[in-house]
Amino acid sequence: MDFCLSSVIRNAKQILKLQSVDISRNQSDVPRGHFAVYVGDIERKRFVVPISYLNHPSFQDLLHQAEEEFGFDHPMGVLSIPCKEETFVDLASRLNHL
């Protein structure tokens, strides 16, 4: 079971083009029709995801959690989602298969 789960997570990370957090990075590396989010409670990882995710209720729930924790005026100036990386990867994997 662990092998299967780790394989799913590894594939989802490749699909999402997981990149290390680098806040100073230029936004031009985000393709048209996508946006960057930073995921994690303490150590944040950067994901580039399709805009279509915004239409899914599960993703909207994560955005609501981010609003409750950070509000709309976030000091980092980036969209941060306060959940475990594994939770986000699992959700993104499911959304990619819809």
Side-chain angles (χ1 to χ4, degrees):
M1 181 68 170
D2 285 340
F3 174 76
C4 183
L5 181 59
S6 65
S7 176
V8 168
I9 291 174
R10 186 173 40 253
N11 289 337
K13 285 181 179 180
Q14 290 172 352
I15 291 169
L16 294 172
K17 302 172 189 168
L18 175 65
Q19 301 172 356
S20 296
V21 174
D22 183 4
I23 296 172
S24 64
R25 184 182 314 191
N26 188 339
Q27 292 181 353
S28 66
D29 66 337
V30 178
R32 184 179 180 110
H34 292 72
F35 64 101
V37 295
Y38 292 83
V39 178
D41 289 324
I42 298 170
E43 180 183 333
R44 290 192 166 77
K45 300 265 181 155
R46 185 174 187 260
F47 292 85
V48 177
V49 298
I51 288 177
S52 63
Y53 282 15
L54 296 173
N55 294 326
H56 296 282
S58 298
F59 195 82
Q60 291 172 1
D61 288 343
L62 286 179
L63 292 176
H64 182 68
Q65 290 176 16
E67 176 189 0
E68 288 178 357
E69 181 158 329
F70 301 118
F72 290 113
D73 186 25
H74 193 275
M76 286 178 52
V78 297
L79 177 56
S80 298
I81 298 179
C83 71
K84 293 182 179 177
E85 180 183 349
E86 294 81 18
T87 302
F88 183 81
V89 169
D90 179 57
L91 172 63
S93 179
R94 286 185 278 135
L95 293 178
N96 280 332
H97 287 76
L98 292 179

